[in-house]
Amino acid sequence: MDFLDPSTEGGAADEEVTVRPGPLWRHALWVVGVTALGVGLGWAGSLFRLGPDDYGLLAAAPGSPWTYVGIWAVTGLATAGVLRAAAARVPVPSPGTIAVLLLVIGTRLSLGWRPETPELAAMAAAALVLAGIWAAIALRADAVAGRTPKPEESPGTS
């Protein structure tokens, strides 16, 4: 079930994954919206501490958050773009949820930990790679499903 897909009504049909066709402006609006939601939730989550003082996840470190928010916004546009591009061609399970989770985790960790440039680049690259893997799995599954003969079309049956 994808919470970010307005075309799903809920119920038993939620398990069905569909292709998300449409005009380019709709895809672009979806990518921007998902990015804003993910980065915004990560930023909001960084306003408080998670866990005890000894080993919990720190609240946002002092200093300007704009560099980290900007990096994750750009990463979010790329991540959501990859997932939406795949979802426009083949059925991709929960592309919005995956993009938002990757962005919330990345933004939250970046604002609390304030990593240096190499670590931040590695985190952003990991988010892009995970989105790419998710899209590749969907593309591969669709390709395999297209090549598999249907039971009615099996050769040698009468």
Side-chain angles (χ1 to χ4, degrees):
M1 173 164 71
D2 192 1
F3 297 109
L4 302 172
D5 185 14
S7 64
T8 57
E9 293 87 27
D14 264 351
E15 299 306 317
E16 289 294 319
V17 181
T18 60
V19 177
R20 292 165 172 86
L24 181 61
W25 67 267
R26 188 179 302 162
H27 296 302
L29 186 63
W30 184 90
V31 166
V32 170
V34 165
T35 299
L37 179 65
V39 172
L41 287 174
W43 193 359
S46 73
L47 297 177
F48 55 89
R49 180 181 185 80
L50 295 175
D53 290 338
D54 294 341
Y55 55 86
L57 188 57
L58 300 173
S64 176
W66 295 112
T67 303
Y68 298 98
V69 170
I71 294 293
W72 282 102
V74 170
T75 302
L77 292 172
T79 300
V82 165
L83 290 168
R84 187 61 178 206
R89 290 174 175 73
V90 299
V92 177
S94 302
T97 305
I98 298 302
V100 167
L101 285 175
L102 290 172
L103 293 174
V104 167
I105 291 168
T107 305
R108 176 65 179 95
L109 287 175
S110 293
L111 290 176
W113 177 38
R114 300 289 170 109
E116 295 295 326
T117 304
E119 291 89 2
L120 185 61
M123 290 170 64
L128 286 169
V129 166
L130 288 172
I133 289 171
W134 192 262
I137 289 171
L139 290 166
R140 175 74 176 146
D142 187 66
V144 168
R147 285 193 314 236
T148 306
K150 305 284 188 253
E152 305 86 48
E153 300 171 2
S154 297
T157 60
S158 11

